[in-house]
């Protein structure tokens, strides 16, 4: 579960390295987020000479979480780190590549491009 003040890794080539969650979106009283949810983040660490700068506020979607996710078949899925993909204000991906694996639960109408760019689905 991701909540406010959680630090997360960035798994695309947008230029950010580490971000911090400042708000969980899609609900006024929602306190935690899981894989596939949207959050608002602030960039804490970025790559030199990138378009993403430290202190910038962006949207993000969670693609990996340490907290176990229960699937419909009864199995559980958890990862070794918490990771996000950075999005712009129109909820389009900033980066053009995705590093590492992502969960199949991300498949939605809006993110068909995300599935095609990922190297492996789990």
């Amino acid at each position: 579960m991701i909540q406010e003040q959680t630090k997360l890794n960035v798994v695309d080539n947008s230029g950010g390295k580490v971000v911090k969650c400042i708000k969980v979106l899609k609900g006024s009283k929602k306190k935690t987020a899981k894989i596939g949810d949207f959050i608002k983040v602030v960039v804490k660490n970025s790559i030199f000479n990138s378009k993403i700068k430290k202190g910038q506020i962006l949207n993000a979607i969670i693609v990996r979480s340490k907290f176990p996710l229960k699937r419909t078949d009864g199995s559980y899925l958890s990862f070794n780190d918490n990771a996000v993909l950075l999005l712009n204000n129109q909820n389009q991906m900033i980066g053009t590549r995705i590093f590492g694996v992502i969960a199949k639960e991300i498949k939605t109408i809006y993110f068909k491009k995300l599935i095609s760019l990922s190297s492996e689905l789990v």
Side-chain angles (χ1 to χ4, degrees), residues 73-84:
D73 63 352
S75 63
Y76 287 91
L77 175 68
S78 64
F79 295 97
N80 292 333
D81 64 342
N82 297 321
V84 296

Side-chain angles (χ1 to χ4, degrees), residues 6-8 17 34 47-48 53 59 63 66 68-70 87 100 118:
T6 303
K7 289 194 176 182
L8 307 123
K17 286 184 177 178
K34 57 183 181 189
I47 297 172
F48 183 71
K53 302 296 181 196
N59 291 333
V63 293
K66 286 184 180 181
L69 172 73
K70 186 174 183 179
L87 308 171
S118 65

Side-chain angles (χ1 to χ4, degrees), residues 9 18 24 29 32-33 46 51-52 54 59 77 82 89 121:
N9 297 326
V18 178
V24 177
K29 296 187 180 197
T32 60
S46 65
K51 58 185 174 182
I52 304 295
K54 182 179 177 182
N59 291 333
L77 175 68
N82 297 321
N89 290 333
L121 292 175

Side-chain angles (χ1 to χ4, degrees), residues 82-94:
N82 297 321
V84 296
L85 287 172
L86 296 180
L87 308 171
N88 60 13
N89 290 333
Q90 292 78 30
N91 288 340
Q92 297 172 345
M93 289 178 45
I94 296 174

